[in-house]
Amino acid sequence: MHPSKTTVLLAEGASAMRQALASQLQTFGFGQVLQARDGTRALQMLRAEPVHVVICDLDMQGMDGLTMLEAMRADPKLAGLPFILMSGGLDRDSAARAIRLGIGDLLVKPFTVRRLIERMQRVLQRDAQALVSALAPPPLEPVPEPSASEPERATILVVDDTPDNLQLVAGLFRDRFKVKIAHNGEKALSICQSDAPPDLILLDVMMPGMDGFEVARRLREHHASECTPIIFVTAMTDEASRHQGLSLGAIDYVFKPIEPELLRLRVSNLMYYVEHRKQLQKDFDQMHENSRLQAEVERLRAEVKGLRGG
């Protein structure tokens, strides 16, 4: 089956997020990406036309992702359909429940479309061998794993239209982190929505063209940056601006002129949050793999018992 004949159902409550992700999947080569705003509508679409894989957000109004998965597993026509769950706030109990229901994969937000496609390839190869050739072109280059002796450093993006400010703030963190810089909002969005997005963003507000508030709004509408921590670093000290920044999902709001050591401490504290999210993905992957191996062991035992005549 050619990629253009592979049908994906994308269930995501946020309209802008859903449309951005659907567009990227189509760019990759999937000709048909159906979209649903909630679990109820998604189930209606699944029962109306053939779908090869479901990508679903956990947190949707009305019927959420796990309730939708339960309904699918109770329907003989949908019970075996590969299902990938996305979430920015999945806990271990919910992850365990999803695994018991036969989840295909779990993705902790934020994630890149590259990682999503890699997970889709793996799920479809495991659950539907007939679709392997459909996802083979174009091949993805393997991402090198960091060596144990050289752990991968987290990445900070500094966004400011003033070169001196860029160098000052970037210089505070180059000894501990990878640091990327952007002198305008358009460049910042390009970096954040690439295959190598930053782990944390230090964002100026007052910039020509697209200001920091607009950058933040657009970041929150994209799966690769929806949950990325943002610290506004700005000379705007009025309460209304601070409230606007925090309402756009910023984690912190730092006034210029900056206090270098205080900013270092705030960034260090937020990096614990970043590492926690990365560890969650590793933990969920391990839980899922353990469950899959256990199921395989039980299947083999049943086969051996059958061969022995009970």
Side-chain angles (χ1 to χ4, degrees):
M1 183 187 297
H2 193 272
S4 63
K5 297 180 181 180
T6 302
T7 301
V8 179
L9 174 63
L10 174 61
E12 161 68 63
S15 176
M17 186 90 61
R18 185 174 65 246
Q19 291 170 12
L21 187 51
S23 176
Q24 288 193 297
L25 289 171
Q26 288 170 332
T27 298
F28 185 81
F30 293 94
Q32 182 136 0
V33 181
L34 306 176
Q35 299 182 45
R37 65 181 179 274
D38 58 36
T40 301
R41 176 60 179 152
L43 285 173
Q44 291 172 350
M45 297 173 75
L46 287 172
R47 289 163 178 156
E49 55 187 300
V51 169
H52 299 108
V53 60
V54 176
I55 304 170
C56 181
D57 188 41
L58 172 65
D59 302 308
M60 297 183 291
Q61 291 186 351
M63 183 183 291
D64 65 20
L66 281 180
T67 305
M68 174 184 162
L69 178 58
E70 283 185 329
M72 287 175 58
R73 295 307 182 235
D75 185 331
K77 294 182 179 180
L78 304 176
L81 191 60
F83 189 102
I84 297 174
L85 185 68
M86 314 177 289
S87 176
L90 191 67
D91 56 55
R92 291 183 66 87
D93 288 343
S94 296
R97 178 182 164 200
I99 291 168
R100 288 194 300 270
L101 289 167
I103 199 81
D105 214 326
L106 296 164
L107 272 175
V108 176
K109 296 180 180 180
F111 58 84
T112 64
V113 72
R114 178 191 182 93
R115 185 171 11 135
L116 173 61
I117 296 299
E118 288 171 344
R119 298 291 178 113
M120 288 177 67
Q121 288 178 323
R122 187 170 67 187
V123 167
L124 288 170
Q125 183 176 19
R126 184 169 63 230
D127 295 335
Q129 291 293 329
L131 293 177
V132 174
S133 59
L135 294 175
L140 292 170
E141 298 178 4
V143 179
E145 294 290 334
S147 64
S149 59
E150 222 176 304
E152 186 178 11
R153 294 197 297 172
T155 302
I156 293 175
L157 173 65
V158 182
V159 188
D160 199 302
D161 65 305
T162 304
D164 288 346
N165 290 340
L166 274 179
Q167 295 307 319
L168 171 63
V169 177
L172 295 175
F173 301 102
R174 285 199 171 101
D175 59 334
R176 290 186 55 196
F177 307 108
K178 293 180 183 178
V179 179
K180 298 181 179 181
I181 60 175
H183 64 276
N184 59 45
E186 289 80 2
K187 179 65 175 176
L189 290 175
S190 175
I191 293 172
C192 292
Q193 297 170 4
S194 70
D195 280 333
D199 297 295
L200 185 147
I201 305 163
L202 299 176
L203 179 60
D204 186 27
V205 174
M206 294 186 293
M207 297 184 293
M210 187 187 304
D211 67 14
F213 293 144
E214 178 63 13
V215 172
R217 187 186 67 79
R218 296 196 189 185
L219 288 173
R220 293 308 183 225
E221 293 179 347
H222 196 278
H223 56 87
S225 54
E226 178 189 7
C227 300
T228 305
I230 298 172
I231 298 178
F232 278 114
V233 183
T234 178
M236 298 176 67
T237 59
D238 61 285
E239 189 61 26
S241 296
R242 182 172 180 273
H243 182 270
Q244 183 177 357
L246 295 175
S247 68
L248 288 167
I251 300 294
D252 209 342
Y253 203 95
V254 175
F255 300 129
K256 296 179 181 178
I258 64 169
E259 298 180 41
E261 287 309 310
L262 183 59
L263 183 58
R264 277 176 175 267
L265 284 173
R266 286 176 162 174
V267 167
S268 295
N269 289 338
L270 274 177
M271 281 303 176
Y272 288 114
Y273 164 85
V274 169
E275 292 306 317
H276 173 68
R277 299 190 74 82
K278 290 182 178 181
Q279 188 59 48
L280 274 181
Q281 183 70 71
K282 294 177 183 177
D283 290 347
F284 293 159
D285 288 347
Q286 189 61 57
M287 289 170 62
H288 193 202
E289 181 64 12
N290 290 345
S291 176
R292 192 184 68 81
L293 291 174
Q294 181 63 35
E296 182 65 14
V297 167
E298 291 175 359
R299 185 188 66 80
L300 292 173
R301 283 176 178 169
E303 287 185 1
V304 170
K305 186 177 180 180
L307 290 173
R308 290 175 177 173

